[in-house]
Amino acid sequence: MVRGVVAGAVLAAFAVLTGCGGANPAQPATSPAPAAQDRLHGAGSVDPALVPALSGAQPRAAGEPHALARQITAAETAVRNPASPPPLVTAGGWTAQVAYRALIERPDWDGPVL
């Protein structure tokens, strides 16, 4: 009985930890997938930094400081704008999380990014 509980706890912890993923260099993207575009009707233009998350893909942190700063700015703007539709707010939050995680891993980028 105890062995089953421990095994279940280990599997749950593994699932949570592997689901968080790591920060990787940015992938270029030009526009949201059609399904994401339908959910963003009336949202105006979408920053390319948010497109992967809007399309359901894991966002990747930019690979250089100035691009990471732009990515954080785009993500924070989407989250803080009261006119942003819910999918854009979600994409902004997810993208910001990945970007901030990358910044934590590179303390020498603090100056150029912040």
Side-chain angles (χ1 to χ4, degrees):
M1 174 84 173
V2 172
R3 180 181 271 184
V5 171
V6 171
V10 169
L11 285 175
F14 179 77
V16 168
L17 292 174
T18 58
C20 292
N24 296 314
Q27 289 183 356
T30 56
S31 64
Q37 288 175 343
D38 292 342
R39 291 179 291 172
L40 295 174
H41 180 69
S45 64
V46 174
D47 191 291
L50 303 177
V51 171
L54 280 169
S55 300
Q58 169 74 33
R60 300 186 185 276
E64 64 92 17
H66 291 91
L68 188 65
R70 191 188 69 72
Q71 189 176 34
I72 289 171
T73 300
E76 290 286 342
T77 299
V79 169
R80 294 173 187 221
N81 183 353
S84 292
L88 190 57
V89 173
T90 301
W94 193 11
T95 301
Q97 179 184 25
V98 168
Y100 284 127
R101 188 180 305 131
L103 184 59
I104 288 169
E105 293 172 359
R106 297 176 181 99
D108 55 312
W109 285 13
D110 284 357
V113 173
L114 301 176

